[in-house]
Amino acid sequence: MVTRSTRNLILLGATGSIGRSTLAVLRAHPEAFRLTGIAAYSSVSVLLEICREFSPKRVCLVDPGAAERFQSQVDDSSIEILSGQSGLTELAAAADADIVVNAVVGAAGLRASLATVAAGIPLALANKESLVAGGPLFQEAIAVGKPPILPIDSEHSALWQVLNGERRESIRRILLTASGGPFRQLPTDAFADITVEEALAHPTWQMGPKITVDSATLVNKGLEVIEAVNLFQVPIDAIEIVVHPQSIIHSMIEFVDSSIVAQLSRPTMVLPIRYALFWPDRVPGDDGRIDWNELRSLTFEPPDWERFPALGLAVEVARRGGTAPAIYNAANETAVAAFLERSIGFIEIPRIIERTLEASTLVDHPSLDDILTADATARETARRGMEKVKW
Ligand code: NDP
Ligand code: MG
């Protein structure tokens, strides 16, 4: 392995599930990275703890009230405190950053991802909503590979690892695996009674609440299809979803000669995070190691498109392009927040996405402004749609 000097790393979404796993990787490799900046929405006490352990120079709390509370509690007066979306994008493009990890949840991370790419800084991307909503805006960077966009999402990390050294023309199909979520075998007539607690109990992954609900509706797989189309520049018809409940195979590529190559590990996000941070090197680590004496069977089945209508909607919006994916994503974020607040039922989530798409006007070759407007309008449309349902 080539020895590299210590690199400055910025971690957006430091207080979340991916943020915590990223900190675990940094803790294990203190010689490799210096954490110079962190951001979150409003989790003051967790950010204070991270400051005590890692001494970053800059901290952003997007919520201005939380930034004030942080300022009044922090011991180290040399820390620069930023706030708002502008603070987040400023941190995401920090002049001395060697790599930025975007682990913010939702389209709230879009402008930060764009700022990192525009500054020419390698972007380790967990925030899939960036690529879904802003797909057209990333195409140039993706086409030239500079700065690199290093996927953290486990399926896309798998595809990236499998593609190492292969030609794009050699791809016949991407086989995107899906756990199927907690309701894979639940009878359709029981979907109306799904509780928040049941939706938050994922069988194989421990994640933040929004992506956990997305995994239960299969919206997450829908977002990942769009993410794969954008990242690997393949047509939507070249992507097949394979339900694989054990979450051991993280995705596969079928090449034109009919060879299929897969990436496997036990489900853990530490492995794809570490791969993204150290790429193109591989560093030793046991997280995710498979015990072949214990592993008995890997099973596969096709997705149930009827039971999970949000999946088909995602394929439609991927095909439609323009602002359609941004609208799908914004409607879903709004519906999931309402479901988590217990104001709508689980089965309303795909209905709200569908109704919002139907009520929206699409823009074909969107600018950032077009995408931000589509996002804001879709949230409003989705909210109004939910109010009507309550009446
Ligand atoms: P969490 O909910 O655990 O964490 C979200 C993070 O984003 C927190 O740090 C939160 O700060 C911050 N945040 C929330 N809203 C905003 C905002 N408006 N502006 C800035 N920061 C904000 O989410 P996860 O870690 O589970 O997921 C993060 C991203 O990674 C998502 O895009 C998800 O799809 C993706 N991902 C996650 C996986 C996982 O295993 N968890 C796997 C693959 C992808 P605060 O604490 O202050 O609210
Ligand atoms: Mg994933």
Side-chain angles (χ1 to χ4, degrees), residues 197-339:
E197 288 69 26
E198 286 163 344
L200 287 179
H202 195 277
T204 49
W205 293 97
Q206 297 286 319
M207 310 177 286
K210 189 262 179 184
I211 184 178
T212 306
V213 175
D214 287 353
S215 302
T217 54
L218 295 206
V219 162
N220 183 51
K221 212 44 58 180
L223 297 175
E224 290 183 355
V225 167
I226 305 169
E227 186 184 6
V229 165
N230 285 326
L231 267 180
F232 302 108
Q233 303 192 310
V234 292
I236 177 79
D237 295 324
I239 300 182
E240 189 164 332
I241 298 164
V242 178
V243 174
H244 162 50
Q246 297 81 20
S247 302
I248 296 289
I249 298 184
H250 299 300
S251 277
M252 311 178 253
I253 292 188
E254 180 183 325
F255 292 100
V256 287
D257 61 357
S258 298
S259 249
I260 294 178
V261 183
Q263 186 260 343
L264 288 74
S265 75
R266 277 194 294 106
T268 168
M269 289 310 295
V270 168
L271 200 158
I273 292 169
R274 201 172 46 212
Y275 186 76
L277 297 193
F278 283 94
W279 174 85
D281 300 328
R282 282 190 189 270
V283 292
D286 286 338
D287 308 84
R289 199 164 182 198
I290 293 172
D291 180 347
W292 291 94
N293 292 313
E294 260 177 32
L295 185 64
R296 284 291 174 276
S297 64
L298 299 178
T299 60
F300 308 94
E301 56 194 76
D304 187 333
W305 298 89
E306 274 167 35
R307 206 183 291 213
F308 299 103
L311 193 54
L313 288 171
V315 172
E316 272 175 44
V317 303
R319 203 164 265 131
R320 182 60 186 77
T323 47
I327 295 165
Y328 174 97
N329 176 68
N332 176 60
E333 284 189 32
T334 311
V336 170
F339 171 68

Side-chain angles (χ1 to χ4, degrees), residues 40-337:
Y41 184 69
S42 61
S43 295
V44 172
S45 55
V46 185
L47 288 175
L48 286 167
E49 255 171 57
I50 300 172
C51 286
R52 280 193 282 273
E53 183 179 356
F54 290 92
S55 309
K57 294 184 296 181
R58 302 170 96 196
V59 177
C60 174
L61 290 105
V62 172
D63 175 26
E68 277 174 28
R69 289 201 300 282
F70 180 89
Q71 179 135 40
S72 67
Q73 291 175 45
V74 70
D75 307 326
D76 181 352
S77 58
S78 70
I79 291 180
E80 185 186 344
I81 302 166
L82 305 163
S83 80
Q85 257 292 332
S86 58
L88 191 69
T89 39
E90 189 184 329
L91 191 59
D96 63 349
D98 297 309
I99 184 165
V100 173
V101 178
N102 188 344
V104 167
V105 63
L110 171 61
R111 275 176 283 182
S113 289
L114 288 169
T116 301
V117 169
I121 306 165
L123 172 65
L125 189 64
N127 178 241
K128 65 187 88 187
E129 297 91 343
S130 286
L131 261 187
V132 169
L137 309 174
F138 290 96
Q139 289 312 305
E140 199 185 310
I142 289 169
V144 294
K146 271 189 187 163
I149 297 181
L150 316 160
I152 284 180
D153 212 349
S154 57
E155 295 77 2
H156 306 75
S157 174
L159 295 168
W160 181 36
Q161 294 183 51
V162 167
L163 273 176
N164 212 343
E166 298 282 355
R167 285 186 219 284
R168 197 125 310 180
E169 309 82 79
S170 305
I171 302 174
R172 179 185 286 157
R173 278 192 305 172
I174 282 181
L175 301 164
L176 196 70
T177 52
S179 72
F183 309 129
R184 188 171 57 91
Q185 292 172 320
L186 190 74
T188 320
D189 55 11
F191 271 51
D193 301 324
I194 289 172
T195 64
V196 170
E197 288 69 26
E198 286 163 344
L200 287 179
H202 195 277
T204 49
W205 293 97
Q206 297 286 319
M207 310 177 286
K210 189 262 179 184
I211 184 178
T212 306
V213 175
D214 287 353
S215 302
T217 54
L218 295 206
V219 162
N220 183 51
K221 212 44 58 180
L223 297 175
E224 290 183 355
V225 167
I226 305 169
E227 186 184 6
V229 165
N230 285 326
L231 267 180
F232 302 108
Q233 303 192 310
V234 292
I236 177 79
D237 295 324
I239 300 182
E240 189 164 332
I241 298 164
V242 178
V243 174
H244 162 50
Q246 297 81 20
S247 302
I248 296 289
I249 298 184
H250 299 300
S251 277
M252 311 178 253
I253 292 188
E254 180 183 325
F255 292 100
V256 287
D257 61 357
S258 298
S259 249
I260 294 178
V261 183
Q263 186 260 343
L264 288 74
S265 75
R266 277 194 294 106
T268 168
M269 289 310 295
V270 168
L271 200 158
I273 292 169
R274 201 172 46 212
Y275 186 76
L277 297 193
F278 283 94
W279 174 85
D281 300 328
R282 282 190 189 270
V283 292
D286 286 338
D287 308 84
R289 199 164 182 198
I290 293 172
D291 180 347
W292 291 94
N293 292 313
E294 260 177 32
L295 185 64
R296 284 291 174 276
S297 64
L298 299 178
T299 60
F300 308 94
E301 56 194 76
D304 187 333
W305 298 89
E306 274 167 35
R307 206 183 291 213
F308 299 103
L311 193 54
L313 288 171
V315 172
E316 272 175 44
V317 303
R319 203 164 265 131
R320 182 60 186 77
T323 47
I327 295 165
Y328 174 97
N329 176 68
N332 176 60
E333 284 189 32
T334 311
V336 170

